[in-house]
Amino acid sequence: MNVIEISEKLGTDEQCIAYLEGRRWPNGVRCMTCGGDKISRIETTSQNKVKAARRLYQCLEPSCKQQFSVTSGTLFHDSHLPLHKWFLAMALITQAKKGMSAKQLQRHLGIKSYQTAWYLGHRIRKAMEEKGGDPLMGIVEVDETHISGKYDKRRKREPWQTTIVAGMVERGGRVRTKKIPTASKQVLVGMVQENVHPDSTVMTDELAAYKSLSSVVAHHGVVNHRAEEWVRGEVHTNTIEGAWSLLKRGIVGSFHKISVKHLDRYLAEFDFRFNNRKNATIFDLGVSQLAAKAPMPYRELIGKPAEEPF
Ligand SMILES: [Zn+2]
């Protein structure tokens, strides 16, 4: 759905609640505590602009009696933003090839505080994270790139310090990117072993760390960038380099440098958009994932990560 369709089909609170209910419980409402399907509904309609429509569910299981709403226990949890704005944000982010900054979101959606827009953006990125999945197959290009982090006064990180991001992409298929601690043989070969099917052909540049890849995949093609060789028949890494250029234009153009702490979520956003580039229902998928994932409290988001590798 694009923003026009959202205005037409998801313009009222009632429409938004009904749509989200369908995404969250495609087979009928289930109690979020006991999983029971005997549920009664308590509804209020929107009387005026101040009072939004609400729908509460009451579990009828005598030992449970849980009362909940369509957003309880999901990434929407505790949000004061109307669902309509959440949906517009999802549509804008899934359609923005280079991503969308909190500032842009704030402007487009008429959100009062920058923090609210920033938090909204990160919850949408969280929804886009895809863990696991089938191994990548066929011809898979593997490469790594350096992303410069934002200067952080508290942690005294120098502006030129960079983070390494590794990427793997199936030609004509899916991409997976991730932050890695070092571009060592152990890390890169381990990552390929974990994410790429052993029958695949992997294409890389001449970096020494990739040398032992032929022990974990069927074929390993190497293009020698140092010798100014870019393409030798099927042997090249142009697909992953295209993905890097998009990611970097996003970081420079939309986000104006991002914090290393949140980098994984930005990578998830880029992967999600890339992997669903031909998916006509990318918006519905994004909303389903917002409804399927547990809340991400603000304090958790801004708090220090449990482990800081840098
Ligand atoms: Zn229950």
Side-chain angles (χ1 to χ4, degrees), residues 64-110:
C64 179
K65 297 270 185 188
Q66 174 76 43
Q67 208 174 67
F68 54 100
S69 76
V70 72
T71 57
S72 305
T74 70
L75 278 168
F76 295 97
H77 194 73
D78 264 352
S79 173
H80 299 296
L81 285 171
L83 286 175
H84 179 65
K85 291 202 180 186
W86 273 89
F87 294 158
L88 283 174
M90 177 59 81
L92 288 168
I93 294 178
T94 49
Q95 284 163 34
K97 269 200 149 184
K98 290 180 274 175
M100 180 160 291
S101 69
K103 204 86 207 142
Q104 280 171 291
L105 264 187
Q106 188 188 2
R107 261 198 310 270
H108 282 309
L109 302 178

mmCIF file of all heavy atoms in Angstrom, residues 64-110:
data_model
loop_
_atom_site.group_PDB
_atom_site.id
_atom_site.type_symbol
_atom_site.label_atom_id
_atom_site.label_comp_id
_atom_site.label_asym_id
_atom_site.label_seq_id
_atom_site.Cartn_x
_atom_site.Cartn_y
_atom_site.Cartn_z
ATOM 1 N N CYS A 64 -8.342 -17.073 33.273
ATOM 2 C CA CYS A 64 -7.455 -16.087 32.636
ATOM 3 C C CYS A 64 -8.023 -14.671 32.750
ATOM 4 O O CYS A 64 -7.460 -13.826 33.439
ATOM 5 C CB CYS A 64 -7.219 -16.468 31.180
ATOM 6 S SG CYS A 64 -6.163 -15.306 30.300
ATOM 7 N N LYS A 65 -9.134 -14.430 32.057
ATOM 8 C CA LYS A 65 -9.812 -13.117 32.125
ATOM 9 C C LYS A 65 -8.946 -11.940 31.673
ATOM 10 O O LYS A 65 -9.199 -10.789 32.039
ATOM 11 C CB LYS A 65 -10.316 -12.847 33.563
ATOM 12 C CG LYS A 65 -11.368 -13.831 34.042
ATOM 13 C CD LYS A 65 -12.746 -13.335 33.688
ATOM 14 C CE LYS A 65 -13.812 -14.265 34.277
ATOM 15 N NZ LYS A 65 -15.132 -13.916 33.783
ATOM 16 N N GLN A 66 -7.920 -12.208 30.900
ATOM 17 C CA GLN A 66 -7.032 -11.144 30.428
ATOM 18 C C GLN A 66 -7.788 -10.144 29.550
ATOM 19 O O GLN A 66 -8.576 -10.528 28.698
ATOM 20 C CB GLN A 66 -5.883 -11.770 29.633
ATOM 21 C CG GLN A 66 -4.944 -10.801 28.944
ATOM 22 C CD GLN A 66 -3.974 -10.149 29.902
ATOM 23 O OE1 GLN A 66 -3.408 -10.812 30.772
ATOM 24 N NE2 GLN A 66 -3.789 -8.851 29.760
ATOM 25 N N GLN A 67 -7.539 -8.874 29.790
ATOM 26 C CA GLN A 67 -8.089 -7.851 28.916
ATOM 27 C C GLN A 67 -6.934 -7.238 28.119
ATOM 28 O O GLN A 67 -5.886 -6.939 28.690
ATOM 29 C CB GLN A 67 -8.773 -6.779 29.757
ATOM 30 C CG GLN A 67 -9.898 -6.083 29.023
ATOM 31 C CD GLN A 67 -10.664 -5.129 29.916
ATOM 32 O OE1 GLN A 67 -10.125 -4.115 30.348
ATOM 33 N NE2 GLN A 67 -11.916 -5.447 30.199
ATOM 34 N N PHE A 68 -7.107 -7.089 26.835
ATOM 35 C CA PHE A 68 -6.011 -6.581 26.007
ATOM 36 C C PHE A 68 -6.558 -5.855 24.783
ATOM 37 O O PHE A 68 -7.748 -5.926 24.495
ATOM 38 C CB PHE A 68 -5.072 -7.718 25.592
ATOM 39 C CG PHE A 68 -5.755 -8.874 24.910
ATOM 40 C CD1 PHE A 68 -5.737 -9.001 23.529
ATOM 41 C CD2 PHE A 68 -6.425 -9.845 25.651
ATOM 42 C CE1 PHE A 68 -6.377 -10.065 22.898
ATOM 43 C CE2 PHE A 68 -7.081 -10.901 25.030
ATOM 44 C CZ PHE A 68 -7.052 -11.021 23.658
ATOM 45 N N SER A 69 -5.655 -5.163 24.095
ATOM 46 C CA SER A 69 -6.055 -4.455 22.877
ATOM 47 C C SER A 69 -5.260 -5.018 21.707
ATOM 48 O O SER A 69 -4.396 -5.873 21.894
ATOM 49 C CB SER A 69 -5.783 -2.956 23.020
ATOM 50 O OG SER A 69 -4.401 -2.722 22.878
ATOM 51 N N VAL A 70 -5.516 -4.517 20.525
ATOM 52 C CA VAL A 70 -4.853 -5.035 19.324
ATOM 53 C C VAL A 70 -3.351 -4.712 19.327
ATOM 54 O O VAL A 70 -2.548 -5.366 18.667
ATOM 55 C CB VAL A 70 -5.569 -4.517 18.043
ATOM 56 C CG1 VAL A 70 -5.310 -3.032 17.820
ATOM 57 C CG2 VAL A 70 -5.198 -5.325 16.811
ATOM 58 N N THR A 71 -2.970 -3.716 20.123
ATOM 59 C CA THR A 71 -1.561 -3.336 20.157
ATOM 60 C C THR A 71 -0.813 -3.873 21.385
ATOM 61 O O THR A 71 0.412 -3.796 21.433
ATOM 62 C CB THR A 71 -1.406 -1.795 20.139
ATOM 63 O OG1 THR A 71 -2.126 -1.262 21.252
ATOM 64 C CG2 THR A 71 -1.934 -1.191 18.857
ATOM 65 N N SER A 72 -1.539 -4.407 22.379
ATOM 66 C CA SER A 72 -0.881 -4.905 23.600
ATOM 67 C C SER A 72 0.178 -5.946 23.275
ATOM 68 O O SER A 72 -0.072 -6.862 22.485
ATOM 69 C CB SER A 72 -1.891 -5.583 24.531
ATOM 70 O OG SER A 72 -2.950 -4.727 24.832
ATOM 71 N N GLY A 73 1.331 -5.810 23.895
ATOM 72 C CA GLY A 73 2.380 -6.812 23.747
ATOM 73 C C GLY A 73 3.032 -6.858 22.375
ATOM 74 O O GLY A 73 3.678 -7.832 22.014
ATOM 75 N N THR A 74 2.877 -5.794 21.586
ATOM 76 C CA THR A 74 3.519 -5.741 20.262
ATOM 77 C C THR A 74 4.456 -4.526 20.215
ATOM 78 O O THR A 74 4.549 -3.772 21.176
ATOM 79 C CB THR A 74 2.467 -5.551 19.136
ATOM 80 O OG1 THR A 74 1.941 -4.220 19.249
ATOM 81 C CG2 THR A 74 1.326 -6.552 19.261
ATOM 82 N N LEU A 75 5.086 -4.314 19.080
ATOM 83 C CA LEU A 75 5.952 -3.143 18.938
ATOM 84 C C LEU A 75 5.171 -1.823 19.006
ATOM 85 O O LEU A 75 5.749 -0.772 19.234
ATOM 86 C CB LEU A 75 6.745 -3.217 17.627
ATOM 87 C CG LEU A 75 8.007 -4.086 17.660
ATOM 88 C CD1 LEU A 75 8.541 -4.308 16.247
ATOM 89 C CD2 LEU A 75 9.102 -3.470 18.529
ATOM 90 N N PHE A 76 3.850 -1.882 18.814
ATOM 91 C CA PHE A 76 3.018 -0.671 18.924
ATOM 92 C C PHE A 76 2.778 -0.301 20.387
ATOM 93 O O PHE A 76 2.257 0.775 20.673
ATOM 94 C CB PHE A 76 1.623 -0.912 18.327
ATOM 95 C CG PHE A 76 1.583 -1.168 16.857
ATOM 96 C CD1 PHE A 76 1.536 -2.466 16.347
ATOM 97 C CD2 PHE A 76 1.560 -0.114 15.959
ATOM 98 C CE1 PHE A 76 1.453 -2.698 14.984
ATOM 99 C CE2 PHE A 76 1.477 -0.343 14.587
ATOM 100 C CZ PHE A 76 1.429 -1.645 14.103
ATOM 101 N N HIS A 77 3.099 -1.212 21.286
ATOM 102 C CA HIS A 77 2.734 -1.097 22.699
ATOM 103 C C HIS A 77 3.022 0.285 23.275
ATOM 104 O O HIS A 77 4.106 0.828 23.077
ATOM 105 C CB HIS A 77 3.517 -2.153 23.485
ATOM 106 C CG HIS A 77 2.997 -2.367 24.867
ATOM 107 N ND1 HIS A 77 1.819 -3.030 25.102
ATOM 108 C CD2 HIS A 77 3.478 -2.012 26.081
ATOM 109 C CE1 HIS A 77 1.599 -3.080 26.399
ATOM 110 N NE2 HIS A 77 2.587 -2.458 27.018
ATOM 111 N N ASP A 78 2.040 0.829 23.986
ATOM 112 C CA ASP A 78 2.212 2.083 24.720
ATOM 113 C C ASP A 78 2.433 3.308 23.844
ATOM 114 O O ASP A 78 2.795 4.364 24.352
ATOM 115 C CB ASP A 78 3.411 1.988 25.687
ATOM 116 C CG ASP A 78 2.943 1.618 27.089
ATOM 117 O OD1 ASP A 78 1.715 1.595 27.303
ATOM 118 O OD2 ASP A 78 3.805 1.367 27.942
ATOM 119 N N SER A 79 2.248 3.190 22.556
ATOM 120 C CA SER A 79 2.481 4.348 21.687
ATOM 121 C C SER A 79 1.281 5.286 21.735
ATOM 122 O O SER A 79 0.138 4.842 21.740
ATOM 123 C CB SER A 79 2.703 3.884 20.248
ATOM 124 O OG SER A 79 2.773 4.995 19.396
ATOM 125 N N HIS A 80 1.555 6.577 21.772
ATOM 126 C CA HIS A 80 0.457 7.541 21.770
ATOM 127 C C HIS A 80 0.126 8.000 20.357
ATOM 128 O O HIS A 80 -0.808 8.760 20.146
ATOM 129 C CB HIS A 80 0.814 8.747 22.650
ATOM 130 C CG HIS A 80 1.050 8.348 24.074
ATOM 131 N ND1 HIS A 80 0.052 7.805 24.850
ATOM 132 C CD2 HIS A 80 2.158 8.348 24.841
ATOM 133 C CE1 HIS A 80 0.547 7.512 26.049
ATOM 134 N NE2 HIS A 80 1.828 7.831 26.060
ATOM 135 N N LEU A 81 0.912 7.539 19.401
ATOM 136 C CA LEU A 81 0.637 7.930 18.021
ATOM 137 C C LEU A 81 -0.554 7.150 17.486
ATOM 138 O O LEU A 81 -0.677 5.950 17.743
ATOM 139 C CB LEU A 81 1.849 7.594 17.136
ATOM 140 C CG LEU A 81 3.070 8.483 17.239
ATOM 141 C CD1 LEU A 81 4.211 7.850 16.455
ATOM 142 C CD2 LEU A 81 2.767 9.882 16.689
ATOM 143 N N PRO A 82 -1.419 7.794 16.720
ATOM 144 C CA PRO A 82 -2.518 7.046 16.111
ATOM 145 C C PRO A 82 -1.981 5.994 15.130
ATOM 146 O O PRO A 82 -0.940 6.207 14.485
ATOM 147 C CB PRO A 82 -3.328 8.115 15.380
ATOM 148 C CG PRO A 82 -2.525 9.358 15.397
ATOM 149 C CD PRO A 82 -1.455 9.226 16.427
ATOM 150 N N LEU A 83 -2.699 4.878 15.002
ATOM 151 C CA LEU A 83 -2.267 3.804 14.091
ATOM 152 C C LEU A 83 -2.084 4.326 12.671
ATOM 153 O O LEU A 83 -1.184 3.882 11.946
ATOM 154 C CB LEU A 83 -3.295 2.669 14.095
ATOM 155 C CG LEU A 83 -3.306 1.781 15.343
ATOM 156 C CD1 LEU A 83 -4.462 0.780 15.265
ATOM 157 C CD2 LEU A 83 -1.972 1.041 15.499
ATOM 158 N N HIS A 84 -2.943 5.261 12.275
ATOM 159 C CA HIS A 84 -2.851 5.851 10.941
ATOM 160 C C HIS A 84 -1.432 6.379 10.666
ATOM 161 O O HIS A 84 -0.870 6.166 9.594
ATOM 162 C CB HIS A 84 -3.880 6.978 10.860
ATOM 163 C CG HIS A 84 -3.887 7.698 9.555
ATOM 164 N ND1 HIS A 84 -4.245 7.071 8.375
ATOM 165 C CD2 HIS A 84 -3.578 8.981 9.233
ATOM 166 C CE1 HIS A 84 -4.148 7.945 7.388
ATOM 167 N NE2 HIS A 84 -3.752 9.110 7.875
ATOM 168 N N LYS A 85 -0.828 7.022 11.657
ATOM 169 C CA LYS A 85 0.532 7.559 11.464
ATOM 170 C C LYS A 85 1.568 6.443 11.433
ATOM 171 O O LYS A 85 2.552 6.509 10.703
ATOM 172 C CB LYS A 85 0.862 8.578 12.562
ATOM 173 C CG LYS A 85 0.038 9.845 12.405
ATOM 174 C CD LYS A 85 0.641 11.063 13.070
ATOM 175 C CE LYS A 85 -0.285 12.258 12.829
ATOM 176 N NZ LYS A 85 0.256 13.512 13.307
ATOM 177 N N TRP A 86 1.350 5.422 12.239
ATOM 178 C CA TRP A 86 2.240 4.257 12.176
ATOM 179 C C TRP A 86 2.228 3.659 10.765
ATOM 180 O O TRP A 86 3.267 3.304 10.212
ATOM 181 C CB TRP A 86 1.749 3.183 13.152
ATOM 182 C CG TRP A 86 2.250 3.298 14.547
ATOM 183 C CD1 TRP A 86 1.675 4.004 15.570
ATOM 184 C CD2 TRP A 86 3.418 2.668 15.106
ATOM 185 N NE1 TRP A 86 2.406 3.834 16.722
ATOM 186 C CE2 TRP A 86 3.471 3.020 16.463
ATOM 187 C CE3 TRP A 86 4.409 1.837 14.580
ATOM 188 C CZ2 TRP A 86 4.484 2.580 17.313
ATOM 189 C CZ3 TRP A 86 5.421 1.394 15.421
ATOM 190 C CH2 TRP A 86 5.445 1.772 16.768
ATOM 191 N N PHE A 87 1.037 3.524 10.213
ATOM 192 C CA PHE A 87 0.920 2.898 8.889
ATOM 193 C C PHE A 87 1.547 3.782 7.815
ATOM 194 O O PHE A 87 2.206 3.292 6.899
ATOM 195 C CB PHE A 87 -0.553 2.605 8.571
ATOM 196 C CG PHE A 87 -1.171 1.568 9.483
ATOM 197 C CD1 PHE A 87 -2.543 1.496 9.668
ATOM 198 C CD2 PHE A 87 -0.379 0.644 10.158
ATOM 199 C CE1 PHE A 87 -3.114 0.536 10.502
ATOM 200 C CE2 PHE A 87 -0.933 -0.318 11.002
ATOM 201 C CZ PHE A 87 -2.309 -0.371 11.179
ATOM 202 N N LEU A 88 1.345 5.092 7.938
ATOM 203 C CA LEU A 88 1.979 5.994 6.970
ATOM 204 C C LEU A 88 3.502 5.880 7.075
ATOM 205 O O LEU A 88 4.201 5.845 6.061
ATOM 206 C CB LEU A 88 1.555 7.443 7.218
ATOM 207 C CG LEU A 88 0.155 7.822 6.740
ATOM 208 C CD1 LEU A 88 -0.181 9.245 7.190
ATOM 209 C CD2 LEU A 88 0.052 7.728 5.215
ATOM 210 N N ALA A 89 4.021 5.793 8.311
ATOM 211 C CA ALA A 89 5.465 5.672 8.499
ATOM 212 C C ALA A 89 5.978 4.383 7.852
ATOM 213 O O ALA A 89 7.009 4.383 7.176
ATOM 214 C CB ALA A 89 5.801 5.698 9.988
ATOM 215 N N MET A 90 5.239 3.287 8.026
ATOM 216 C CA MET A 90 5.651 2.019 7.418
ATOM 217 C C MET A 90 5.673 2.145 5.890
ATOM 218 O O MET A 90 6.607 1.712 5.230
ATOM 219 C CB MET A 90 4.699 0.899 7.865
ATOM 220 C CG MET A 90 4.989 -0.459 7.248
ATOM 221 S SD MET A 90 6.650 -1.129 7.592
ATOM 222 C CE MET A 90 6.426 -1.826 9.230
ATOM 223 N N ALA A 91 4.647 2.776 5.327
ATOM 224 C CA ALA A 91 4.588 2.944 3.873
ATOM 225 C C ALA A 91 5.738 3.821 3.383
ATOM 226 O O ALA A 91 6.398 3.506 2.388
ATOM 227 C CB ALA A 91 3.253 3.564 3.466
ATOM 228 N N LEU A 92 6.008 4.902 4.092
ATOM 229 C CA LEU A 92 7.088 5.802 3.670
ATOM 230 C C LEU A 92 8.438 5.097 3.722
ATOM 231 O O LEU A 92 9.244 5.206 2.803
ATOM 232 C CB LEU A 92 7.113 7.051 4.574
ATOM 233 C CG LEU A 92 5.968 8.052 4.383
ATOM 234 C CD1 LEU A 92 5.950 9.075 5.520
ATOM 235 C CD2 LEU A 92 6.108 8.765 3.034
ATOM 236 N N ILE A 93 8.682 4.353 4.805
ATOM 237 C CA ILE A 93 9.987 3.703 4.959
ATOM 238 C C ILE A 93 10.158 2.538 3.981
ATOM 239 O O ILE A 93 11.229 2.360 3.417
ATOM 240 C CB ILE A 93 10.222 3.275 6.430
ATOM 241 C CG1 ILE A 93 10.321 4.533 7.317
ATOM 242 C CG2 ILE A 93 11.481 2.425 6.568
ATOM 243 C CD1 ILE A 93 10.514 4.272 8.796
ATOM 244 N N THR A 94 9.096 1.777 3.738
ATOM 245 C CA THR A 94 9.252 0.665 2.789
ATOM 246 C C THR A 94 9.447 1.180 1.366
ATOM 247 O O THR A 94 10.000 0.489 0.527
ATOM 248 C CB THR A 94 8.048 -0.306 2.816
ATOM 249 O OG1 THR A 94 6.843 0.442 2.727
ATOM 250 C CG2 THR A 94 8.033 -1.152 4.064
ATOM 251 N N GLN A 95 9.004 2.407 1.095
ATOM 252 C CA GLN A 95 9.146 2.930 -0.266
ATOM 253 C C GLN A 95 10.371 3.808 -0.476
ATOM 254 O O GLN A 95 10.724 4.098 -1.613
ATOM 255 C CB GLN A 95 7.883 3.709 -0.651
ATOM 256 C CG GLN A 95 6.731 2.779 -0.994
ATOM 257 C CD GLN A 95 5.391 3.489 -0.967
ATOM 258 O OE1 GLN A 95 5.294 4.672 -1.299
ATOM 259 N NE2 GLN A 95 4.370 2.776 -0.571
ATOM 260 N N ALA A 96 11.004 4.226 0.624
ATOM 261 C CA ALA A 96 12.154 5.115 0.494
ATOM 262 C C ALA A 96 13.410 4.282 0.235
ATOM 263 O O ALA A 96 13.939 3.666 1.147
ATOM 264 C CB ALA A 96 12.325 5.945 1.763
ATOM 265 N N LYS A 97 13.861 4.277 -1.004
ATOM 266 C CA LYS A 97 14.996 3.429 -1.381
ATOM 267 C C LYS A 97 16.222 3.655 -0.516
ATOM 268 O O LYS A 97 16.980 2.735 -0.223
ATOM 269 C CB LYS A 97 15.372 3.690 -2.842
ATOM 270 C CG LYS A 97 14.661 2.771 -3.797
ATOM 271 C CD LYS A 97 15.403 2.727 -5.109
ATOM 272 C CE LYS A 97 15.213 1.355 -5.727
ATOM 273 N NZ LYS A 97 15.965 1.196 -6.956
ATOM 274 N N LYS A 98 16.431 4.910 -0.136
ATOM 275 C CA LYS A 98 17.628 5.226 0.636
ATOM 276 C C LYS A 98 17.307 5.459 2.110
ATOM 277 O O LYS A 98 18.103 6.019 2.837
ATOM 278 C CB LYS A 98 18.303 6.471 0.038
ATOM 279 C CG LYS A 98 18.932 6.170 -1.312
ATOM 280 C CD LYS A 98 19.590 7.398 -1.909
ATOM 281 C CE LYS A 98 18.605 8.226 -2.683
ATOM 282 N NZ LYS A 98 19.195 9.474 -3.180
ATOM 283 N N GLY A 99 16.131 5.043 2.527
ATOM 284 C CA GLY A 99 15.787 5.207 3.932
ATOM 285 C C GLY A 99 15.197 6.576 4.220
ATOM 286 O O GLY A 99 15.127 7.434 3.330
ATOM 287 N N MET A 100 14.758 6.768 5.461
ATOM 288 C CA MET A 100 14.143 8.029 5.829
ATOM 289 C C MET A 100 14.587 8.421 7.235
ATOM 290 O O MET A 100 14.480 7.634 8.167
ATOM 291 C CB MET A 100 12.624 7.877 5.764
ATOM 292 C CG MET A 100 11.913 9.148 6.132
ATOM 293 S SD MET A 100 10.228 9.204 5.531
ATOM 294 C CE MET A 100 10.456 9.331 3.767
ATOM 295 N N SER A 101 15.081 9.639 7.362
ATOM 296 C CA SER A 101 15.566 10.081 8.668
ATOM 297 C C SER A 101 14.392 10.415 9.587
ATOM 298 O O SER A 101 13.268 10.626 9.135
ATOM 299 C CB SER A 101 16.435 11.328 8.505
ATOM 300 O OG SER A 101 15.629 12.417 8.108
ATOM 301 N N ALA A 102 14.687 10.479 10.884
ATOM 302 C CA ALA A 102 13.654 10.836 11.861
ATOM 303 C C ALA A 102 13.117 12.236 11.576
ATOM 304 O O ALA A 102 11.930 12.499 11.724
ATOM 305 C CB ALA A 102 14.230 10.763 13.269
ATOM 306 N N LYS A 103 13.996 13.103 11.129
ATOM 307 C CA LYS A 103 13.606 14.479 10.801
ATOM 308 C C LYS A 103 12.559 14.478 9.676
ATOM 309 O O LYS A 103 11.558 15.198 9.738
ATOM 310 C CB LYS A 103 14.864 15.242 10.367
ATOM 311 C CG LYS A 103 14.790 16.724 10.525
ATOM 312 C CD LYS A 103 15.190 17.195 11.919
ATOM 313 C CE LYS A 103 14.488 18.507 12.227
ATOM 314 N NZ LYS A 103 14.059 18.618 13.610
ATOM 315 N N GLN A 104 12.815 13.681 8.645
ATOM 316 C CA GLN A 104 11.871 13.597 7.519
ATOM 317 C C GLN A 104 10.531 13.006 7.962
ATOM 318 O O GLN A 104 9.475 13.486 7.572
ATOM 319 C CB GLN A 104 12.438 12.695 6.416
ATOM 320 C CG GLN A 104 13.462 13.345 5.518
ATOM 321 C CD GLN A 104 14.103 12.285 4.631
ATOM 322 O OE1 GLN A 104 14.845 11.423 5.105
ATOM 323 N NE2 GLN A 104 13.808 12.331 3.348
ATOM 324 N N LEU A 105 10.612 11.948 8.777
ATOM 325 C CA LEU A 105 9.390 11.314 9.283
ATOM 326 C C LEU A 105 8.570 12.323 10.076
ATOM 327 O O LEU A 105 7.358 12.409 9.936
ATOM 328 C CB LEU A 105 9.747 10.172 10.232
ATOM 329 C CG LEU A 105 9.802 8.739 9.708
ATOM 330 C CD1 LEU A 105 10.004 7.792 10.875
ATOM 331 C CD2 LEU A 105 8.559 8.364 8.911
ATOM 332 N N GLN A 106 9.279 13.070 10.912
ATOM 333 C CA GLN A 106 8.622 14.059 11.759
ATOM 334 C C GLN A 106 7.862 15.079 10.891
ATOM 335 O O GLN A 106 6.705 15.392 11.162
ATOM 336 C CB GLN A 106 9.681 14.770 12.612
ATOM 337 C CG GLN A 106 9.117 15.686 13.656
ATOM 338 C CD GLN A 106 10.183 16.527 14.356
ATOM 339 O OE1 GLN A 106 11.377 16.446 14.018
ATOM 340 N NE2 GLN A 106 9.777 17.321 15.308
ATOM 341 N N ARG A 107 8.536 15.540 9.831
ATOM 342 C CA ARG A 107 7.921 16.515 8.932
ATOM 343 C C ARG A 107 6.716 15.937 8.189
ATOM 344 O O ARG A 107 5.640 16.515 8.178
ATOM 345 C CB ARG A 107 8.943 16.988 7.899
ATOM 346 C CG ARG A 107 9.586 18.314 8.219
ATOM 347 C CD ARG A 107 10.222 18.930 6.993
ATOM 348 N NE ARG A 107 11.090 18.003 6.272
ATOM 349 C CZ ARG A 107 12.392 17.854 6.515
ATOM 350 N NH1 ARG A 107 12.975 18.579 7.447
ATOM 351 N NH2 ARG A 107 13.127 17.000 5.815
ATOM 352 N N HIS A 108 6.920 14.749 7.572
ATOM 353 C CA HIS A 108 5.844 14.145 6.775
ATOM 354 C C HIS A 108 4.607 13.834 7.601
ATOM 355 O O HIS A 108 3.489 13.920 7.112
ATOM 356 C CB HIS A 108 6.328 12.836 6.150
ATOM 357 C CG HIS A 108 7.204 13.035 4.949
ATOM 358 N ND1 HIS A 108 6.842 13.837 3.895
ATOM 359 C CD2 HIS A 108 8.410 12.530 4.634
ATOM 360 C CE1 HIS A 108 7.804 13.817 2.985
ATOM 361 N NE2 HIS A 108 8.772 13.041 3.410
ATOM 362 N N LEU A 109 4.812 13.411 8.840
ATOM 363 C CA LEU A 109 3.683 12.930 9.636
ATOM 364 C C LEU A 109 3.159 13.977 10.625
ATOM 365 O O LEU A 109 2.209 13.723 11.347
ATOM 366 C CB LEU A 109 4.072 11.657 10.400
ATOM 367 C CG LEU A 109 4.545 10.489 9.527
ATOM 368 C CD1 LEU A 109 4.944 9.317 10.390
ATOM 369 C CD2 LEU A 109 3.453 10.075 8.560
ATOM 370 N N GLY A 110 3.785 15.127 10.652
ATOM 371 C CA GLY A 110 3.357 16.162 11.587
ATOM 372 C C GLY A 110 3.454 15.704 13.031
ATOM 373 O O GLY A 110 2.514 15.876 13.809
#
